[in-house]
Amino acid sequence: MTRRAWHTHLAAVLGYVCLAVVFSWPLLPNITTHLTGDPGGDTGVYVWNQWVFQQSAVVEHRNPLTTEHIFSLTPRPVDLTQHNYTIFLNVLALPLAGALGTVATFNVVYLTIVVLTAWTTFVLARRVTGGATVEAWLAGVAFAWAPVLMARSAGHFSLVAAAPLAAFLWCLHRIDRSESIRDAVLAGIVVAWAAFCDPYYAVYCVLIATIYAISRVVFVSWRPSWKHGVGTWMLDLGIVLVAGLTIGLAFGRGGRLTLLGVPISVRALYTPMLLLTVLVAARVLVYLRPGVATLGLPSPRSLRAVVAGGFVGAVALSPVLYGASMRVFDGTWVSPPIYWRSSPRGVDLLAFVTPNPSHPLMVWLLGQPQLAAPSIFVEYSAGVSLVVLAVVAVAMWKARLRAAGWVTLTSGFAALALGPFVHVAGLNTFIPGPWAVLRYVPVFGMARMPTRFAVVAALGLSVLFAMALVRLGQRFPGQRRVVLAAAGVLLAIELWSGPRPLYSASVSPVYDLVRADPRPVRILELPFGVRDGVTSEGDFSARYQFNQAFHGKRLMGGYLSRVSPRQFNEVRQSPMLSGLLTLSEGHPLSPEHEAALLVNAPDFMARANLGWVVLHPSRTPAPLREFVLHAFALEQVASADDAVLYRPRR
C-alpha cells in the first residue's frame, strides 16, 4: 500500500479505538477490577480460557488443547477440542498477562477484538464500495457496535470476535474477480482463524462459501405467471383445507381422525403448519415458474484454488482436527440430538427492528435487560441499527440501490436466525423457517444455536449501509456531506450504550490462603457438579473456574461447552463424587450409602490430595454441608463474601 493508504487505515483504527473507549465507558478506569459480563456466568469461563491456555502453553509446556486443571480426578487429561476455547483471543492474551494481570488482560483483549472487527468491516466495505472511506468507516461502526454484538460482550466474547467473518467475505470478493490460488489460500487461513475465534464462525464461512459456489454453477430465472391448471387448483384446495384445519386447531383442542384407515391424532400446530408452509411454498414456486440452468463446470483454475484453500485451512486447523478425530474414534465426540419440536429456538422476528435495548433512553423506559434477564439478553438480542435500516431503505427507494447478493446474504442469515419455528412478539407461530431443514445437514448442524446467525445478518446490513451512503452521495452529490454527517451523528447516538453495566472481578479473600499454599493439592468447591452447554449434574458454577484463575489449584468438577457422556460417567464412578453430586442437587443419601461414604472418606481424601474445601452458604444445601464437615473432618479457616474456607484436620 501507499503511504496515503497506510495513513487512511491508521486514522480509521485510531477512530475505532476512541469509540471503543467511549462505547465501553466506564470500563477503562475500571479495567483491572471489573468486567462487562458476570464472572459467575459465561464471562468467567472465557477469563479461565486465557488463564488455562497460558498455564498449559507457557508454564507447563504441554499441549494447550488439553488440561488437568478441571475434572482432575478422571484418568486422562480433559480434551478441549469441543470447548469454545477462543484460541485466537488466548494467543492475544499471552504477551499481556504477565504485565497486566488476568482481568486487565481480558479487558484489553476484548477492546482489541472490537477494534479489529470494526477495521476488517471497514476494509471489506471499502473494497465493495470501490474505495469510499467515510462510508466504509461508518459501516465498521454500524457492525462492531451493533446491539447484537454489544449484547454478546456481556457473556459470549467469542462471538464479539467477528473480524474473521468480514475478512472471509473480503477474500471471497477478491476470489470472485481473480480466482487466484493466493486468494483461496488466504480464505482457507481465514476460515481457520474463524474457528480459533468461535467454531460457529467457521461453519458460517463454509455455508457462505457453499452458497457462493452454487451460485457460480447454477443460474435461476423467474417467469411469473397466473396460469391455472389442474395441479394449481389442487394446490389451492389443499391450502384452503389445511388452513381451515390449522385455524380449527388454533381455537380448539385438537382431536383424532382416520385417514384411509389410519388413525391420526392432531393436537399441536407443528405438523399442520409444516404442511401448510410446504403447500404455500409450492404454490409460490408454481407462480414464479423458476427455470434452472447450469453455467458450466468450474474451470480447472477455480478447482485448484478451492483445493489449495481447503488444504491450507486444514493444515492450519490440524491441531484441532486431530483432537476432534481422536474424540470421534474413541467415542467421546459430543453430538447433541436434534429434536423436531424442542430444539433451541431462534430470535424473535421483532428483535431485528426494536430500538437498541441498552440505550439510556430505553433503559430509562424499560429497565436494563442485561441485569434483568442476562441469559436472554445475551443469547436472544438480534438488534441492528434502525438508522442503518432507514438509510438502506431510502437508498433503495430514492437512489435505486441494487445489491442482490448482499440483500440475499443479509435476509438469508436473518431468516436462519429465526430458528426452526418463527416467533413474533414472543408467540410461536409454528411456521417452520429454513433452519428447520438446514439443522439436519452435516457440518451446518454443528451451529446448534440459530440465534447467532444474526451476527452475519448484521454484517451484511452494515455493508449495505456503506453501499447505500455511496449511492445516495452519487444521486444527490450536493448533499453528500450533510447525509454522511447526519448518518454518523444519528448512528453514534443510537448505538451509544453508556454507561455500560460492569461486574466486579474481585475474588473472595479466602482464596488468598489457597493461593499461598505451595502444595500441589486439590480444592473442592461446594456445591459440586459437572456442567456443559446442554447438561448439568450437581450444581457447578462457572465462577469456580474464574476463581481458579486466581488461586491455581486443581478442581474435581468442571464446566465445558461440551462434556462427553464418558466424562460424566468417569466422575460418577467415584462413589464420593457421585454422592456429592446427589447432595449438591438437594437430594438425600440413603443411610447405607452415607455410611459407606463416611468409611471411605479418608481414602478419598488421600487419593484426591484434598487440601482445601470452599463452601458457598447461599447455594449449599444443609445436608451437603453437614456431610462434608463430618466426612472430611473439616475445620474452618476463614470466611468472606459467601465463601467459607475449610481445611482437613488430618
Side-chain angles (χ1 to χ4, degrees), residues 79 139 148 152 160 165 223 245 334 473 495 511 531 577 596 601:
D79 181 79
V148 63
R152 264 57 184 185
V160 179
L165 293 176
R223 296 164 294 172
L245 172 64
V334 181
L495 298 185
Y511 293 100
R531 184 186 298 272
L577 296 184

Side-chain angles (χ1 to χ4, degrees), residues 13-25:
V13 170
L14 291 177
Y16 290 140
V17 169
C18 294
L19 280 184
V21 172
V22 173
F23 281 15
S24 64
W25 194 264

Side-chain angles (χ1 to χ4, degrees), residues 10-284:
L10 179 60
V13 170
L14 291 177
Y16 290 140
V17 169
C18 294
L19 280 184
V21 172
V22 173
F23 281 15
S24 64
W25 194 264
L27 180 61
L28 185 60
N30 299 281
I31 200 164
T32 62
T33 59
H34 287 73
L35 298 163
T36 57
D38 184 4
D42 289 338
T43 301
V45 178
Y46 286 111
V47 174
W48 177 83
N49 284 351
Q50 295 183 11
W51 173 81
V52 79
F53 186 88
Q54 183 186 35
Q55 287 294 113
S56 299
V58 178
V59 178
E60 300 170 2
H61 302 290
R62 58 177 295 165
N63 178 8
L65 292 177
T66 64
T67 183
E68 295 179 349
H69 289 279
I70 57 175
F71 302 112
S72 59
L73 286 181
T74 53
R76 61 184 62 81
V78 177
D79 181 79
L80 299 173
T81 300
Q82 280 195 279
H83 177 53
N84 199 353
Y85 199 23
T86 56
I87 294 176
F88 176 69
L89 280 64
N90 300 342
V91 172
L92 288 181
L94 279 181
L96 304 175
L100 300 181
T102 302
V103 174
T105 295
F106 184 83
N107 285 325
V108 169
V109 169
Y110 158 62
L111 295 174
T112 301
I113 60 176
V114 171
V115 171
L116 184 59
T117 297
W119 176 72
T120 53
T121 306
F122 165 75
V123 174
L124 168 65
R126 199 160 182 260
R127 177 174 180 83
V128 171
T129 58
T133 300
V134 178
E135 293 87 344
W137 192 85
L138 291 175
V141 175
F143 179 54
W145 287 280
V148 63
L149 281 184
M150 289 294 283
R152 264 57 184 185
S153 67
H156 296 163
F157 288 87
S158 60
L159 296 174
V160 179
L165 293 176
F168 182 76
L169 288 171
W170 179 84
C171 292
L172 208 59
H173 196 272
R174 288 176 59 94
I175 292 171
D176 185 58
R177 287 149 178 77
S178 68
E179 296 185 350
S180 73
I181 294 178
R182 182 186 63 180
D183 291 337
V185 166
L186 185 58
I189 294 173
V190 170
V191 172
W193 177 24
F196 290 146
C197 290
D198 190 297
Y200 277 43
Y201 285 167
V203 174
Y204 297 167
C205 290
V206 173
L207 177 58
I208 293 170
T210 301
I211 296 172
Y212 167 76
I214 293 174
S215 70
R216 292 297 302 272
V217 298
V218 176
F219 175 76
V220 180
S221 59
W222 308 98
R223 296 164 294 172
S225 173
W226 286 107
K227 291 182 178 180
H228 284 71
V230 176
T232 305
W233 287 113
M234 291 183 65
L235 272 177
D236 293 340
L237 179 62
I239 291 172
V240 171
L241 292 176
V242 176
L245 172 64
T246 304
I247 294 172
L249 286 172
F251 292 96
R253 297 182 178 179
R256 295 176 61 87
L257 56 93
T258 301
L259 181 64
L260 300 178
V262 180
I264 300 175
S265 177
V266 182
R267 297 189 179 276
L269 294 176
Y270 289 99
T271 302
M273 286 302 299
L274 171 64
L275 181 58
L276 181 61
T277 302
V278 171
L279 290 174
V280 170
R283 184 64 182 87
V284 171

Side-chain angles (χ1 to χ4, degrees), residues 1-10:
M1 293 191 297
T2 64
R3 177 176 296 182
R4 182 176 181 180
W6 279 108
H7 289 170
T8 299
H9 286 277
L10 179 60

